[in-house]
């Protein structure tokens, strides 16, 4: 069921969005060559406890997961692009890192993801990250009253296709509210003018994610981590936004911290 939030409820969601933004900015700043993925998870857990927030991941067990996730943040590295389960791995020079984080604060959820490179970057990795970020910007710009879900999807696809990238639509954006994943599904490819009409009060997590040379995924032995089918690298950018009569509001915006 698709739920619309009142202006007061959108306002009540802002602390969750701000907290998610602060945690991702902090973790990105602290993550470097040699950082262990389990350290990232422990640090995120510390910040959740200190804030009195609630993890959306630790007990999460959807049909596509082998077991409850058991960690509080997704850490996807290199050819992993989604649902990366943290494990005992120290980051190496040039690793492409995606952190995906969702929590509830006072019962309201916010969800966001950021990709970056530790150490010496490859040009192709920076280009892929830039493409996901530009696709996210395009998606947000299309998230206005009077448009439809297909307009958001088409905006994402236009950026990807301009770079010659293919698109997987198995996983994409989604509604956000009291739960992390709700209706509607927002695929990263679609036709403009199609789908659910966008209305004030609709809160969505928009999340373009692309792989360098495929749109096929395989599930890792951990039962969670999704990797590219051909070993190419992936990147993922995500914000939780609220559609209002005055335009989209980015609830997980990190710009107030001086970072993207």
């Amino acid at each position: 069921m698709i739920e619309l939030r009142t202006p007061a409820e959108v306002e009540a969601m802002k602390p969750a969005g701000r907290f998610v933004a602060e945690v991702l900015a902090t973790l990105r700043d602290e993550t470097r060559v040699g950082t262990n993925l389990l350290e990232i998870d422990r640090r995120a857990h510390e910040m959740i406890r200190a804030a009195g927030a609630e993890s959306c991941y630790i007990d999460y067990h959807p049909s596509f997961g082998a077991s409850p996730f058991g960690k509080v943040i997704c850490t996807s590295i290199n050819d992993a692009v989604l649902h990366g389960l943290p494990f005992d791995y120290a980051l190496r020079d040039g690793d492409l890192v995606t952190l995906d984080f969702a929590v509830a604060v006072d019962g309201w959820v916010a969800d966001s993801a950021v990709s970056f490179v530790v150490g010496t970057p490859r040009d192709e990795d920076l280009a892929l990250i830039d493409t996901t970020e530009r696709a996210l910007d395009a998606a947000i710009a299309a998230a206005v009253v009077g448009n439809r879900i297909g307009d958001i999807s088409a905006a994402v696809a236009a950026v990807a296709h301009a770079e010659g990238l293919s698109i997987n639509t198995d996983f994409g954006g989604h509604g956000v509210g009291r739960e992390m994943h709700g209706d509607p599904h927002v695929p990263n490819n679609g036709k403009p003018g199609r789908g659910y009409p966008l209305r004030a009060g609709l809160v969505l997590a928009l999340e373009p994610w692309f792989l360098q040379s495929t749109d096929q995924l395989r599930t890792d032995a951990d039962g969670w981590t999704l990797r590219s089918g051909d070993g190419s690298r992936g990147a993922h950018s995500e914000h939780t936004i609220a559609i209002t009569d005055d335009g989209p509001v980015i609830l997980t915006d990190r710009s107030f911290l001086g970072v993207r």
Side-chain angles (χ1 to χ4, degrees):
M1 181 177 69
I2 296 174
E3 297 183 89
L4 300 179
R5 304 300 173 187
T6 67
E9 287 175 325
V10 170
E11 194 67 26
M13 295 183 76
K14 289 183 177 179
R18 186 178 181 91
F19 177 68
V20 167
E22 290 172 343
V23 170
L24 284 178
T26 298
L27 293 175
R28 179 174 181 171
D29 183 61
E30 294 177 353
T31 299
R32 52 185 59 87
V33 175
T35 300
N36 194 292
L37 301 186
L38 295 178
E39 293 174 14
I40 296 173
D41 182 71
R42 282 194 292 269
R43 182 74 170 104
H45 212 152
E46 288 173 0
M47 287 185 278
I48 289 171
R49 287 195 298 267
E54 181 180 354
S55 172
C56 293
Y57 291 162
I58 196 162
D59 295 322
Y60 187 53
H61 190 190
S63 60
F64 56 80
S67 60
F69 191 72
K71 305 294 182 184
V72 299
I73 191 167
C74 294
T75 56
S76 301
I77 311 302
N78 297 330
D79 64 323
V81 66
L82 297 172
H83 308 162
L85 185 65
F87 65 105
D88 186 10
Y89 174 80
L91 292 169
R92 301 170 183 173
D93 185 51
D95 277 346
L96 196 167
V97 180
T98 297
L99 303 180
D100 190 353
F101 185 64
V103 299
V105 174
D106 296 327
W108 294 106
V109 173
D111 188 4
S112 186
V114 61
S115 290
F116 56 96
V117 177
V118 294
T120 308
R122 303 179 185 182
D123 289 343
E124 58 267 33
D125 289 346
L126 296 180
L128 185 65
I129 293 168
D130 178 70
T131 301
T132 66
E133 291 176 345
R134 288 187 290 110
L136 180 56
D137 289 342
I140 294 169
V144 295
V145 173
N147 275 355
R148 292 177 176 266
I149 291 294
D151 294 300
I152 296 175
S153 301
V156 172
V159 175
H161 289 155
E163 299 299 330
L165 299 175
S166 56
I167 299 172
N168 179 299
T169 56
D170 292 341
F171 297 92
H174 50 89
V176 178
R178 292 294 189 181
E179 304 290 337
M180 176 171 58
H181 289 143
D183 294 327
H185 174 61
V186 187
N188 287 324
N189 197 359
K191 295 182 179 180
R194 303 285 185 87
Y196 182 79
L198 304 182
R199 300 171 182 170
L202 184 62
V203 180
L204 301 171
L206 304 179
E207 48 181 316
W209 61 272
F210 307 130
L211 302 165
Q212 286 173 332
S213 58
T214 185
D215 59 11
Q216 298 301 303
L217 294 170
R218 63 179 180 86
T219 304
D220 209 352
D222 63 20
W224 272 101
T225 304
L226 294 178
R227 299 183 180 276
S228 66
D230 63 359
S232 62
R233 295 190 175 201
H236 175 197
S237 295
E238 178 181 15
H239 274 311
T240 296
I241 65 122
I243 296 173
T244 77
D245 288 322
D246 297 322
V249 175
I250 305 173
L251 300 178
T252 51
D253 187 15
R254 295 183 291 273
S255 63
F256 75 97
L257 298 166
V259 297
R260 183 180 173 87

